[in-house]
Coordinates of all heavy atoms in Angstrom, one line a residue:
M872 N -57.2 23.1 75.6 CA -57.9 22.4 74.5 C -59.1 23.3 74.1 O -60.0 23.6 74.9 CB -58.4 21.1 75.0 CG -59.2 20.3 73.9 SD -58.1 19.7 72.6 CE -57.3 18.3 73.5
P873 N -59.2 23.8 72.9 CA -60.3 24.7 72.5 C -61.6 23.9 72.3 O -61.6 22.6 72.2 CB -59.8 25.2 71.1 CG -58.9 24.2 70.6 CD -58.2 23.6 71.8
S874 N -62.7 24.6 72.4 CA -64.0 23.9 72.2 C -64.1 23.3 70.8 O -63.5 23.9 69.8 CB -65.1 24.9 72.4 OG -66.3 24.4 72.0
T875 N -64.8 22.2 70.7 CA -64.9 21.6 69.4 C -66.3 21.8 68.8 O -66.7 21.3 67.8 CB -64.7 20.1 69.5 OG1 -65.6 19.5 70.5 CG2 -63.2 19.8 69.9
T876 N -67.1 22.7 69.5 CA -68.5 22.9 69.1 C -68.5 23.4 67.7 O -67.9 24.4 67.4 CB -69.2 23.8 70.1 OG1 -69.1 23.3 71.4 CG2 -70.6 24.1 69.7
G877 N -69.3 22.8 66.9 CA -69.6 23.4 65.6 C -68.5 23.1 64.6 O -68.5 23.6 63.5
L878 N -67.5 22.3 65.0 CA -66.4 21.9 64.1 C -66.6 20.6 63.4 O -67.7 20.0 63.6 CB -65.1 22.0 64.8 CG -64.8 23.3 65.5 CD1 -63.4 23.2 66.2 CD2 -64.7 24.4 64.4
V879 N -65.7 20.1 62.8 CA -65.7 18.8 62.2 C -64.6 18.0 62.9 O -63.7 18.5 63.5 CB -65.5 18.8 60.7 CG1 -66.6 19.6 60.0 CG2 -64.1 19.3 60.3
C880 N -64.7 16.7 62.8 CA -63.7 15.8 63.3 C -62.3 16.2 62.7 O -62.2 16.2 61.4 CB -64.0 14.4 63.1 SG -62.8 13.2 63.7
P881 N -61.3 16.4 63.5 CA -60.0 16.8 62.9 C -59.3 15.5 62.3 O -58.3 15.7 61.5 CB -59.2 17.3 64.1 CG -59.8 16.6 65.3 CD -61.3 16.5 65.0
H882 N -59.8 14.4 62.5 CA -59.2 13.2 62.0 C -59.8 12.7 60.7 O -59.1 12.2 59.8 CB -59.4 12.0 63.0 CG -58.9 12.4 64.4 ND1 -57.5 12.7 64.7 CD2 -59.5 12.5 65.6 CE1 -57.4 13.0 65.9 NE2 -58.6 12.9 66.5
C883 N -61.1 12.9 60.5 CA -61.7 12.5 59.3 C -62.7 13.5 58.7 O -63.1 13.2 57.5 CB -62.5 11.1 59.6 SG -63.9 11.4 60.6
G884 N -62.9 14.6 59.3 CA -63.8 15.6 58.7 C -65.3 15.4 58.9 O -66.0 16.1 58.3
W885 N -65.6 14.4 59.7 CA -67.1 14.2 59.9 C -67.6 15.3 60.7 O -67.1 15.7 61.7 CB -67.2 12.9 60.7 CG -68.6 12.4 60.8 CD1 -69.6 12.8 61.7 CD2 -69.3 11.4 60.0 NE1 -70.8 12.1 61.5 CE2 -70.6 11.3 60.4 CE3 -68.8 10.6 58.9 CZ2 -71.5 10.4 59.8 CZ3 -69.7 9.8 58.3 CH2 -71.0 9.6 58.8
P886 N -68.7 15.9 60.2 CA -69.3 17.1 61.0 C -69.8 16.7 62.3 O -70.5 15.8 62.5 CB -70.4 17.5 60.1 CG -70.2 16.9 58.7 CD -69.4 15.6 59.0
D887 N -69.3 17.5 63.4 CA -69.8 17.2 64.7 C -71.3 17.4 64.8 O -71.9 16.8 65.7 CB -69.1 18.2 65.7 CG -67.7 17.7 65.9 OD1 -67.3 16.6 65.6 OD2 -66.9 18.6 66.5
G888 N -71.9 18.3 64.0 CA -73.3 18.5 64.1 C -74.1 17.5 63.4 O -75.4 17.5 63.6
A889 N -73.5 16.6 62.7 CA -74.3 15.6 62.0 C -74.7 14.4 62.9 O -74.3 14.4 64.1 CB -73.5 15.0 60.8
E890 N -75.4 13.6 62.4 CA -75.8 12.4 63.2 C -74.5 11.6 63.5 O -73.6 11.5 62.7 CB -76.7 11.5 62.4 CG -78.1 12.0 62.2 CD -78.8 12.0 63.6 OE1 -78.8 10.9 64.2 OE2 -79.3 13.0 64.0
P891 N -74.4 11.1 64.7 CA -73.2 10.3 65.1 C -73.0 9.2 64.2 O -74.0 8.5 63.7 CB -73.5 9.9 66.5 CG -74.5 10.8 67.0 CD -75.3 11.2 65.8
F892 N -71.8 8.9 63.8 CA -71.5 7.7 63.0 C -72.0 6.5 63.7 O -72.6 5.6 63.0 CB -70.0 7.6 62.7 CG -69.6 6.5 61.8 CD1 -69.8 6.6 60.5 CD2 -69.0 5.3 62.3 CE1 -69.5 5.6 59.6 CE2 -68.7 4.3 61.5 CZ -68.9 4.4 60.1
Q893 N -71.8 6.3 64.9 CA -72.2 5.2 65.7 C -72.4 5.6 67.1 O -71.5 6.2 67.7 CB -71.2 4.0 65.6 CG -71.6 2.8 66.4 CD -70.5 1.7 66.4 OE1 -69.4 2.0 66.0 NE2 -70.9 0.5 66.7
V894 N -73.6 5.3 67.7 CA -73.9 5.6 69.1 C -73.5 4.3 69.9 O -74.1 3.3 69.7 CB -75.3 6.0 69.3 CG1 -75.6 6.2 70.8 CG2 -75.7 7.2 68.5
L895 N -72.6 4.5 70.8 CA -72.2 3.4 71.7 C -73.1 3.2 72.9 O -73.5 2.1 73.3 CB -70.7 3.6 72.1 CG -69.7 3.7 71.0 CD1 -68.3 3.9 71.5 CD2 -69.7 2.4 70.1
S896 N -73.4 4.3 73.5 CA -74.3 4.3 74.7 C -74.9 5.7 74.9 O -74.3 6.7 74.5 CB -73.5 3.8 75.9 OG -72.5 4.8 76.3
A897 N -76.0 5.7 75.5 CA -76.7 6.9 75.8 C -77.1 6.9 77.3 O -77.5 5.9 77.8 CB -78.0 7.0 75.0
H898 N -76.9 8.1 77.9 CA -77.2 8.2 79.3 C -78.1 9.5 79.5 O -77.6 10.6 79.7 CB -75.9 8.4 80.1 CG -74.9 7.3 79.9 ND1 -74.9 6.1 80.5 CD2 -73.9 7.2 79.0 CE1 -74.0 5.3 80.1 NE2 -73.3 6.0 79.1
P899 N -79.4 9.3 79.5 CA -80.3 10.4 79.6 C -80.2 11.0 81.0 O -80.0 10.3 82.0 CB -81.7 9.8 79.4 CG -81.5 8.5 78.8 CD -80.1 8.0 79.2
T900 N -80.3 12.3 81.0 CA -80.3 13.1 82.3 C -81.6 14.0 82.3 O -82.3 14.0 81.3 CB -79.1 13.9 82.5 OG1 -79.0 14.9 81.5 CG2 -77.8 13.1 82.4
G901 N -81.8 14.7 83.4 CA -82.9 15.5 83.4 C -82.9 16.6 82.4 O -83.9 17.1 81.9
A902 N -81.7 17.1 82.1 CA -81.6 18.2 81.2 C -81.3 17.8 79.8 O -81.2 18.7 78.9 CB -80.5 19.2 81.7
G903 N -81.1 16.6 79.5 CA -80.8 16.1 78.2 C -80.2 14.8 78.2 O -80.8 13.8 78.4
G904 N -78.9 14.7 78.1 CA -78.2 13.4 78.2 C -76.8 13.5 77.8 O -76.3 14.5 77.3
T905 N -76.1 12.4 77.9 CA -74.8 12.2 77.4 C -74.7 11.0 76.5 O -75.3 10.0 76.8 CB -73.8 12.0 78.6 OG1 -73.9 13.0 79.5 CG2 -72.4 11.8 78.1
L906 N -74.1 11.3 75.4 CA -73.9 10.2 74.4 C -72.5 9.9 74.2 O -71.6 10.8 74.1 CB -74.5 10.6 73.0 CG -76.0 10.8 72.8 CD1 -76.2 11.3 71.4 CD2 -76.6 9.4 73.0
W907 N -72.2 8.6 74.2 CA -70.8 8.1 73.8 C -71.0 7.6 72.4 O -71.8 6.7 72.1 CB -70.3 7.0 74.7 CG -69.9 7.6 76.0 CD1 -70.6 7.7 77.2 CD2 -68.6 8.1 76.3 NE1 -69.8 8.2 78.2 CE2 -68.6 8.5 77.7 CE3 -67.4 8.3 75.5 CZ2 -67.5 9.1 78.3 CZ3 -66.3 8.9 76.1 CH2 -66.3 9.3 77.5
T908 N -70.2 8.2 71.5 CA -70.3 7.8 70.1 C -68.9 7.5 69.5 O -67.9 7.9 70.1 CB -70.9 9.0 69.2 OG1 -70.0 10.1 69.2 CG2 -72.3 9.4 69.8
R909 N -68.9 6.8 68.4 CA -67.7 6.6 67.7 C -67.8 7.2 66.3 O -68.8 7.1 65.6 CB -67.5 5.1 67.5 CG -66.1 4.7 67.1 CD -65.9 3.2 66.7 NE -66.3 2.3 67.9 CZ -65.4 2.1 68.8 NH1 -64.2 2.6 68.9 NH2 -65.8 1.3 69.8
C910 N -66.7 7.9 66.0 CA -66.7 8.6 64.7 C -66.4 7.6 63.6 O -66.0 6.5 63.8 CB -65.7 9.7 64.8 SG -65.7 10.8 63.4
A911 N -66.5 8.1 62.4 CA -66.2 7.3 61.2 C -64.8 6.9 61.2 O -64.4 5.8 60.6 CB -66.6 8.1 59.9
C912 N -63.9 7.7 61.8 CA -62.5 7.3 61.9 C -62.1 6.4 63.1 O -61.0 6.0 63.2 CB -61.7 8.6 61.9 SG -62.0 9.6 63.4
G913 N -63.1 6.2 63.9 CA -62.9 5.3 65.1 C -62.6 6.0 66.4 O -62.5 5.3 67.4
S914 N -62.5 7.3 66.4 CA -62.3 8.0 67.6 C -63.6 8.1 68.5 O -64.7 8.2 67.9 CB -61.8 9.4 67.4 OG -62.8 10.3 66.8
L915 N -63.4 7.9 69.8 CA -64.5 8.0 70.7 C -64.8 9.5 70.9 O -64.0 10.3 71.1 CB -64.2 7.3 72.0 CG -64.2 5.8 72.0 CD1 -63.6 5.3 73.3 CD2 -65.6 5.3 71.8
Q916 N -66.1 9.7 71.0 CA -66.6 11.1 71.4 C -67.6 11.0 72.5 O -68.4 10.1 72.6 CB -67.3 11.7 70.1 CG -66.4 11.9 68.9 CD -67.2 12.4 67.7 OE1 -68.4 12.3 67.7 NE2 -66.5 12.9 66.8
A917 N -67.5 12.0 73.4 CA -68.5 12.2 74.4 C -69.3 13.4 74.0 O -68.8 14.5 73.7 CB -67.9 12.5 75.8
R918 N -70.6 13.3 73.8 CA -71.5 14.3 73.4 C -72.5 14.6 74.5 O -73.1 13.7 75.0 CB -72.3 14.0 72.1 CG -71.4 13.8 70.9 CD -72.2 13.3 69.7 NE -71.3 13.2 68.5 CZ -71.7 13.7 67.4 NH1 -72.8 14.4 67.2 NH2 -70.9 13.7 66.3
V919 N -72.6 15.9 74.8 CA -73.6 16.3 75.8 C -74.8 16.9 75.0 O -74.7 17.8 74.2 CB -73.1 17.4 76.7 CG1 -74.2 18.0 77.6 CG2 -72.0 16.7 77.6
V920 N -76.0 16.4 75.3 CA -77.2 16.9 74.7 C -78.0 17.7 75.7 O -78.2 17.3 76.8 CB -78.1 15.7 74.3 CG1 -79.4 16.2 73.5 CG2 -77.4 14.7 73.4
D921 N -78.3 19.0 75.3 CA -79.1 19.8 76.2 C -80.1 20.6 75.3 O -80.3 20.2 74.2 CB -78.1 20.8 77.0 CG -77.3 21.7 76.1 OD1 -77.7 21.8 74.9 OD2 -76.3 22.2 76.6
G922 N -80.7 21.6 75.9 CA -81.7 22.3 75.2 C -81.2 23.1 74.0 O -82.0 23.5 73.2
H923 N -79.9 23.2 73.9 CA -79.3 24.0 72.7 C -78.8 23.0 71.6 O -78.3 23.5 70.6 CB -78.2 24.8 73.2 CG -78.6 25.8 74.3 ND1 -79.4 26.9 74.1 CD2 -78.3 25.8 75.6 CE1 -79.6 27.5 75.2 NE2 -79.0 26.9 76.2
G924 N -78.9 21.8 71.8 CA -78.4 20.8 70.8 C -77.4 19.9 71.4 O -77.4 19.6 72.6
T925 N -76.5 19.4 70.5 CA -75.5 18.5 70.9 C -74.2 19.1 70.8 O -73.8 19.7 69.8 CB -75.6 17.2 70.0 OG1 -76.9 16.7 70.1 CG2 -74.6 16.2 70.5
R926 N -73.4 18.9 71.8 CA -72.0 19.4 71.8 C -71.0 18.2 72.0 O -71.3 17.4 72.8 CB -71.8 20.4 72.9 CG -72.5 21.7 72.7 CD -72.3 22.6 73.8 NE -72.9 22.1 75.0 CZ -72.3 22.0 76.2 NH1 -71.0 22.4 76.4 NH2 -72.9 21.5 77.3
V927 N -70.0 18.2 71.2 CA -68.9 17.3 71.4 C -68.0 17.9 72.5 O -67.4 18.9 72.3 CB -68.1 17.0 70.1 CG1 -66.9 16.1 70.4 CG2 -69.0 16.4 69.1
V928 N -67.9 17.2 73.6 CA -67.1 17.8 74.7 C -65.8 17.0 74.9 O -64.9 17.5 75.6 CB -67.9 17.7 76.1 CG1 -69.2 18.6 76.0 CG2 -68.4 16.3 76.4
S929 N -65.7 15.9 74.3 CA -64.4 15.1 74.4 C -64.3 14.3 73.2 O -65.2 13.7 72.7 CB -64.4 14.3 75.7 OG -63.2 13.6 75.8
R930 N -63.0 14.2 72.8 CA -62.8 13.4 71.6 C -61.5 12.6 71.7 O -60.5 13.1 72.1 CB -62.7 14.3 70.3 CG -62.8 13.6 69.0 CD -62.3 14.5 67.9 NE -62.9 15.8 67.9 CZ -64.0 16.1 67.3 NH1 -64.8 15.2 66.7 NH2 -64.5 17.3 67.4
G931 N -61.6 11.3 71.4 CA -60.4 10.5 71.5 C -59.7 10.4 70.2 O -60.0 11.1 69.3
R932 N -58.7 9.6 70.2 CA -57.9 9.4 69.0 C -58.5 8.3 68.1 O -59.2 7.4 68.6 CB -56.5 8.9 69.4 CG -55.7 9.9 70.2 CD -54.3 9.4 70.5 NE -53.6 10.4 71.3 CZ -52.4 10.1 71.9 NH1 -51.9 8.9 71.7 NH2 -51.8 11.0 72.6
P933 N -58.3 8.5 66.8 CA -58.9 7.5 65.9 C -58.3 6.1 66.1 O -57.1 6.0 66.6 CB -58.6 8.0 64.5 CG -57.4 9.0 64.7 CD -57.6 9.5 66.1
T934 N -59.0 5.1 65.8 CA -58.5 3.8 65.8 C -57.4 3.6 64.8 O -57.7 3.9 63.6 CB -59.6 2.8 65.6 OG1 -60.6 2.9 66.6 CG2 -59.1 1.3 65.7
P935 N -56.3 3.1 65.2 CA -55.2 2.9 64.2 C -55.6 2.0 63.1 O -56.2 0.9 63.4 CB -54.0 2.4 65.0 CG -54.3 2.8 66.4 CD -55.8 2.8 66.5
A936 N -55.4 2.3 61.9 CA -55.7 1.4 60.8 C -54.7 0.3 60.7 O -53.5 0.5 60.7 CB -55.8 2.2 59.5
G937 N -55.2 -0.9 60.6 CA -54.3 -2.0 60.5 C -53.6 -2.4 61.8 O -54.0 -1.9 62.9
C938 N -52.6 -3.1 61.7 CA -51.8 -3.6 62.9 C -52.7 -4.3 63.9 O -52.8 -3.9 65.0 CB -51.1 -2.4 63.6 SG -49.7 -1.8 62.8
Ligands
ZN2191 ZN1 -63.5 11.3 62.9

């Protein structure tokens, strides 16, 4: 799985560097923190915040529309 840093969401094109569409939970650590966010398409993202900014380290699948 290649790094997703600096890219956009492959599902909906939301820029990873932009403000998260929705922050589900935040877990501050000494060096920054971890954010669980939901993208505009519904996919879950794990973002690590450190001194260099925010990186998307894990991305789930979008929420199926309908059904
Ligand atoms: Zn998305």
Side-chain angles (χ1 to χ4, degrees):
M872 183 72 78
S874 170
T875 57
T876 303
L878 300 179
V879 300
C880 176
H882 305 299
C883 69
W885 191 277
D887 284 346
E890 286 294 308
F892 182 76
Q893 180 183 14
V894 177
L895 300 178
S896 63
H898 306 275
T900 66
T905 302
L906 287 177
W907 282 96
T908 67
R909 191 187 305 278
C910 188
C912 62
S914 69
L915 284 174
Q916 298 174 344
R918 295 174 175 234
V919 171
V920 184
D921 59 20
H923 302 289
T925 303
R926 288 176 296 131
V927 176
V928 295
S929 180
R930 193 195 314 272
R932 296 178 182 175
T934 301
C938 283

